[in-house]
Amino acid sequence: MRFRHPSMAKLQAWLDTGPGEGDGRLDAHIESCAHCTERLESRPQETAGDVRSALIATLASPDGLEARLSESIHDRMAARGDLRLITELFGVPLRTAKIMANPRGEKS
Ligand SMILES: [Zn+2]
């Protein structure tokens, strides 16, 4: 591959434009280049969050997806456990338990 490591300025520009909007070769390079990923990650702290979200959006790695899925499944199981606990403690119907567990009606 003739495409070399982009300059820090190019990496910055890539962050600013966002994944998929800039040079596709840059997307492909960063996706496959641990060195450039490291350079992005080691940028100043205040931008680390942007770097991370940009990387996550671009890489969309199966590992990350799996982590997000298992996290939400865990949350759902925990919420379900709470509901069952409420129904057992208070002897109330599940519908009432849901209201008790989530008084403001937020979707969980
Ligand atoms: Zn590189």
Side-chain angles (χ1 to χ4, degrees):
M1 189 191 282
R2 287 195 310 115
F3 194 67
R4 303 182 51 166
H5 295 307
S7 66
M8 207 59 222
K10 276 204 165 183
L11 290 179
Q12 181 62 57
W14 174 81
L15 284 179
D16 291 344
T17 55
E21 294 173 24
D23 189 340
R25 288 178 306 171
L26 206 49
D27 283 349
H29 177 87
I30 292 166
E31 187 172 340
S32 61
C33 180
H35 175 68
C36 286
T37 305
E38 184 115 347
R39 286 162 74 203
L40 283 167
E41 291 277 17
S42 64
R43 288 168 71 255
Q45 200 58 39
E46 63 265 25
T47 58
D50 294 339
V51 173
R52 190 145 302 147
S53 55
L55 279 173
I56 288 169
T58 301
L59 302 179
S61 81
D63 286 349
L65 184 64
E66 196 176 340
R68 280 201 301 277
L69 282 176
S70 67
E71 192 171 308
S72 69
I73 289 169
H74 176 82
D75 286 348
R76 253 173 254 176
M77 288 177 72
R80 194 166 301 178
D82 286 349
L83 288 182
R84 191 159 54 221
L85 188 64
I86 289 172
T87 60
E88 284 170 6
L89 281 177
F90 299 101
V92 296
L94 188 64
R95 185 180 161 78
T96 307
K98 277 182 181 167
I99 293 166
M100 291 173 72
N102 198 2
R104 280 175 298 171
E106 290 167 353
K107 291 201 161 77
S108 59

